[in-house]
Amino acid sequence: METCLSVCSLYRLMTLINWYVSKQSHHDISSPAQLKDGDQFDFIIVGGGSAGCVLANRLSEIEHWSVLLLEAGGEEPAILSVPSFRDFGYDSRVDWGHRTQPQEGVCGGDPCDWPRGKALGGTTVLNSMIYNRGNRRDYDYWASTGNTGWSYHDVLPYFKKSENNMDPDIASDKVHHSVGGYLSVGRFPYQDRNVRILIEGYEEMGYEQVDFNAERVTGIMVIQATQHNGERRSTNRAFLAPIRHIRPNLKIVTNARVTKILIHPVNRKTYGVEYVHELDRNIGGTVLANKEVIVCGGAINSPQLLMLSGIGPHNVLKNVGIKVIEDLAVGENLQDHVSARGFTFKLSESASVVPSEKDIINDIHQYSQIRRSGPLSGTGVNQLEGYLKSRHITNDDDYPDIQYFTYSSIHSYDPSMCTINITRPLCYYNTIQYMAALVRPFSRGRIIINSKDPFDPPHIYPHFFTDPRDHEIIIDALNSAMRLSKTDALRKAGYYVDTTPIEGCEFLDFGSEDYWVCLAKNHTQTLYHPAGTCKMGPEDDTYAVVDPELRVYGVKRLRVADASIMPKVVSGNLNAGVIMIAEKCADMIKMSWGESTKENHQVDKMKQIYRRELTRYLKKLVSQF
């Protein structure tokens, strides 16, 4: 009964947080009403997510350039800055709420959920804050296929340009890391005992702790996260907040959905966009771009907007009555990191973290009043990840194809008591799920539009597991979970594998290869890392949508900069890679318009230092009165 009372306390907390997220996400200080039809800017950025916020910052460094950032969502809810409150943004107004088309053998034949952030900061307001650049070989592969300038050697400076690494042991590696950038990166202030227990289990299996963002990848790591002293650092907080009300040449407009890119039919030169108010379609208009439009909507919304604007596969556009401006493979090459739910550890009472109502109040007080510390300043066992190799990696190369991680939940095993599987802060749990994802899947999907209405969601066909090799990798991944369950570290700590057959797989032996495949088919889990739908490639690549400078083929003054341009999805979480793409894109734009990026970056850094010192002086002055 005590556990049930604790779960009920969490349920009350969940209800309050969901209400607060909904309330805050409607807050709008920059509505489309601030725009006038025909307003002109040098650059228009579509989408204020991982890439858009970075580009808005970097392009507005040039004081004589005017920059407009249009975001379909509203302001970022402040409450989602609490790391352990991650899940409360899903299925709220800050989530696009995308669903895939049903596919046999995926998600039990039902649509899969694909949450995407819809607010300033994009998916960085919803994600797990994991800072993982992927493998150096990912970028070397990009370069080897004709994308000049995208090798690991080429992109490493752009990773470092953003980074402000706060962990001395990591930051001391100056070859791979840096300090002083806009994006704070570091381990969460709080790791509970189960993080340490899982590390001991992995080490017992022979895996060493490594820095994924340096030389070695195979092994385990307590993640570095995009957080600062226990608070989420979305790209909105990291790149926009410091400069939003300081640079007069930057205008940010929220709740503005771009419905079409304007392209001259004769010279194919991009000259602006059409938009409508997200909450009132009677408000809208046209804004013009004197130099360029940069699309940063992500791997789902960017191809949708291109197709709505006449750029995409001829047959898709013809079917919905859109005139074709450029016949390109927009929406093809869709990739995602796919996994399977269902391998669950039940935890003994001593291993569980199910607080009393008093504990919850204390944790909230510790977080809100005592320097963002305590359990809420972390993400429970979700802050541990690792890499291993499947049967398809037969050499000694440090290029693993499986990324494994742990996720947790509160589960009341008595259905008559309270609620089951509620949304709750990540730091509270009594079960742990082992999930392992294919970071280089062989299968490819596609995205198409089904109408001319920009408010109709695109049709997403993930085509997970259409290549049988992907099932083989899932089998190897879940077999590794069985090995982990047999370690002394987990057994002594009170971890028990729940061997209750998952729905749809009741007639198969738990732990058999057929059972693992059944699990993958019926309880598919994506890591929400879609990529590749506006592929970057050389001109002779029939699937390429943008060139290595991210310019759309056949259309002038139009670029795409987000995860959609990845020729092959990177072997890790996407956020760091997308920020890097935006940093590099900003420099390419500056160079193409004759601006010196190094000089302007140094000037901006001096301005940051001056503002920081001025703020300290004013605070000191005020404290004397």
Side-chain angles (χ1 to χ4, degrees), residues 617-625:
Y617 171 75
L618 292 174
K619 285 182 178 179
K620 183 177 180 181
L621 193 64
V622 169
S623 67
Q624 295 174 357
F625 292 93

Side-chain angles (χ1 to χ4, degrees), residues 26 115 186 194 235 245 308 330 408 504 528 546 561:
H26 281 272
N194 284 306
T235 51
H245 302 294
L308 289 169
V330 175
S408 59
Y528 314 132
V546 300

Side-chain angles (χ1 to χ4, degrees), residues 102-209:
Q103 176 188 335
E104 185 179 354
V106 173
C107 292
D110 297 323
C112 307
D113 295 335
W114 273 26
R116 296 281 87 197
K118 188 181 183 184
L120 278 180
T123 305
T124 65
V125 310
L126 297 179
N127 68 4
S128 297
M129 294 156 277
I130 296 170
Y131 184 79
N132 184 336
R133 300 170 179 173
N135 197 299
R136 64 171 58 230
R137 289 166 179 78
D138 298 330
Y139 304 102
D140 288 342
Y141 171 80
W142 292 7
S144 71
T145 57
N147 293 297
T148 305
W150 290 90
S151 70
Y152 179 74
H153 175 78
D154 294 319
V155 302
L156 180 58
Y158 290 104
F159 282 116
K160 294 171 68 176
K161 182 177 181 179
S162 297
E163 186 182 17
N164 177 37
N165 201 292
M166 301 183 299
D167 293 331
D169 60 319
I170 300 290
S172 63
D173 176 4
K174 299 187 185 303
V175 173
H176 300 98
H177 296 281
S178 65
V179 297
Y182 281 98
L183 184 68
S184 292
V185 176
R187 300 184 190 95
F188 287 112
Y190 186 86
Q191 289 109 34
D192 67 27
R193 61 183 178 274
N194 284 306
V195 173
R196 295 189 295 273
I197 289 167
L198 286 163
I199 288 174
E200 291 174 7
Y202 287 124
E203 288 179 336
E204 195 175 322
M205 293 172 65
Y207 294 106
E208 299 179 4
Q209 294 193 56

Side-chain angles (χ1 to χ4, degrees), residues 3 192-195 197-198 344-354 380-381 406-411 413 424 426-434 489-498:
T3 298
D192 67 27
R193 61 183 178 274
N194 284 306
V195 173
I197 289 167
L198 286 163
T344 303
F345 293 105
K346 294 181 181 179
L347 302 184
S348 65
E349 187 173 344
S350 62
S352 297
V353 187
V354 182
V381 295
T406 44
Y407 187 65
S408 59
S409 64
I410 288 280
H411 190 99
Y413 291 99
R424 88 296 171 219
L426 297 175
C427 58
Y428 304 140
Y429 55 91
N430 60 7
T431 64
I432 294 176
Q433 287 81 47
Y434 177 101
L490 269 61
R491 285 181 170 179
K492 290 177 181 177
Y495 285 55
Y496 307 94
V497 177
D498 185 355

